[in-house]
Amino acid sequence: MTMLRSLVVASALLAAPVSSFVSTNAPKARTTHLNAASGYKIGAKTHGVLINNRYVVDELTKVVPDDMEMSEIDLLRFALAHPGDERAAQKTLKKAIGWRQTTGKHIVEAAREAVAKATANGGWDNDPVRDAAPHADVINKFITPRAVITTTTEDGDLVYVIRASQIDDKKMMDVCSVGQVCDFFLYAKEVHNIIANQRSARTGRMCSVIFANDISGVRKPPDKRFSQALTSSSDQYESLYPSLAGPTMILNLPLILQAFVGLLKPLFPKSVQERLVFKRAPILASLKDITPLGTDPMLQNRFVREVKGLLP
């Protein structure tokens, strides 16, 4: 059970740069009732959520330095993390601003420039995003489209797909430090944050990141150093990117272990428990690796519909 928890938690924490996005044009929205994050449900209208949190968002605007650009959607996510409590929201925002001005400045700037290049022609060119990731020259050899793909649902939510068994974490950690891997993951979250907030403003529908963690092929717990990097980046996730995460799906758990789902769920933080979904995903399980989810439009459509059908 301890090993299984390590596998599932590591998979749930994992976040890496996107390797494929579909068109960023506004999709046709359909509401799902599962909470995306505190304060709103998947499919919620951006304008309505802003109206409900207008006072706190306006108060947060006063905290942002003149030389820093943060949109209303950026601030809205901090307000949603602390409903009706502007002081708590301000405290969290100030911490995030401090990170953006110091330790995380190079990550934020690299992500912003990479997304601008990726979308320059109206579509999505993923190469600038992968190439600009911190320590990409080393880490991109291990975290590839075989293991990590970001795609999108018909409604516009991002679906971040991870197959941990395709990452040789021990070899990677033999040549990378915990800090380097942590920076790499935080860069990925910043990329997701930029895309989600831009899409929320453009489409009028709050965009969330759905995590699809495929357990297929996992036979051993993650390298301890890799787990440390995942934990470090995850510990900063809620404070730096509040109200961004949608459902966390643990997919294709071995049949013999599915009976223990009820015992696993309480081991997660309450904020994750509320969004945790254990399901079988046959389309995903049928793939030798997940690269085709970024190259085969028909397969991609089948998969995102499978994901939509698995949500409560």
Side-chain angles (χ1 to χ4, degrees):
M1 182 61 66
T2 299
M3 186 185 82
L4 177 58
R5 181 183 182 277
S6 297
L7 295 174
V8 173
V9 171
S11 200
L13 293 177
L14 184 59
V18 292
S19 49
S20 179
F21 270 102
V22 299
S23 172
T24 56
N25 293 331
K28 182 178 180 181
R30 293 192 302 273
T31 301
T32 299
H33 296 294
L34 188 68
N35 282 346
S38 57
Y40 73 97
K41 297 181 183 297
I42 291 182
K45 300 297 183 182
T46 304
H47 181 64
V49 180
L50 268 171
I51 289 176
N52 292 338
N53 295 273
R54 172 52 61 191
Y55 173 75
V56 177
V57 170
D58 288 344
E59 290 298 303
L60 293 179
T61 302
K62 302 173 185 177
V63 175
V64 182
D66 292 338
D67 61 348
M68 179 174 290
E69 182 178 346
M70 295 191 79
S71 69
E72 279 197 326
I73 307 300
D74 287 312
L75 300 179
L76 175 60
R77 294 195 187 275
F78 286 88
L80 289 168
H82 304 281
D85 189 344
E86 66 271 20
R87 290 187 179 180
Q90 286 177 344
K91 183 179 179 180
T92 303
L93 177 59
K94 288 178 181 179
K95 181 179 178 181
I97 288 174
W99 179 80
R100 287 173 172 273
Q101 291 177 321
T102 56
T103 308
K105 185 176 181 179
H106 69 289
I107 293 173
V108 173
E109 291 178 347
R112 182 175 61 246
E113 293 173 5
V115 171
K117 291 178 180 178
T119 57
N121 294 323
W124 181 266
D125 178 5
N126 198 67
D127 288 342
V129 176
R130 277 184 58 82
D131 293 345
H135 320 293
D137 57 328
V138 178
I139 299 178
N140 278 349
K141 297 175 183 177
F142 299 95
I143 298 180
T144 72
R146 292 175 59 87
V148 180
I149 289 284
T150 301
T151 185
T152 189
T153 67
E154 294 173 332
D155 297 329
D157 292 308
L158 303 180
V159 182
Y160 175 65
V161 191
I162 309 152
R163 181 173 283 180
S165 62
Q166 294 287 341
I167 301 173
D168 192 334
D169 54 342
K170 184 182 184 306
K171 284 187 177 180
M172 180 173 68
M173 298 311 300
D174 284 343
V175 296
C176 299
S177 70
V178 169
Q180 287 175 327
V181 176
C182 182
D183 282 354
F184 186 85
F185 295 153
L186 287 172
Y187 167 86
K189 293 166 183 174
E190 179 66 21
V191 170
H192 281 156
N193 189 58
I194 292 170
I195 295 297
N197 289 347
Q198 289 178 347
R199 187 171 290 183
S200 296
R202 187 178 65 253
T203 67
R205 177 188 182 280
M206 291 296 293
C207 176
S208 300
V209 180
I210 298 171
F211 294 89
N213 305 284
D214 184 18
I215 307 299
S216 300
V218 175
R219 296 290 182 270
K220 58 183 178 62
D223 183 272
K224 290 182 179 179
R225 297 163 295 175
F226 189 49
S227 293
Q228 185 179 347
L230 296 178
T231 300
S232 179
S233 62
S234 179
D235 285 346
Q236 300 177 72
Y237 188 83
E238 287 298 327
S239 60
L240 296 177
Y241 306 103
S243 308
L244 179 63
T248 295
M249 309 180 75
I250 309 300
L251 303 175
N252 300 319
L253 200 64
L255 289 174
I256 194 171
L257 298 175
Q258 290 184 22
F260 296 99
V261 166
L263 299 176
L264 280 172
K265 202 165 186 178
L267 299 176
F268 289 84
K270 287 187 178 180
S271 60
V272 176
Q273 288 183 38
E274 295 170 356
R275 305 190 303 268
L276 200 57
V277 178
F278 289 85
K279 294 286 186 178
R280 295 286 298 172
I283 293 174
L284 182 60
S286 70
L287 301 177
K288 183 177 180 181
D289 65 69
I290 63 175
T291 305
L293 295 180
T295 59
D296 185 335
M298 291 185 65
L299 179 61
Q300 182 189 73
N301 287 338
R302 289 175 58 211
F303 168 69
V304 295
R305 288 172 182 169
E306 177 176 66
V307 168
K308 184 69 178 291
L310 295 175
L311 296 177

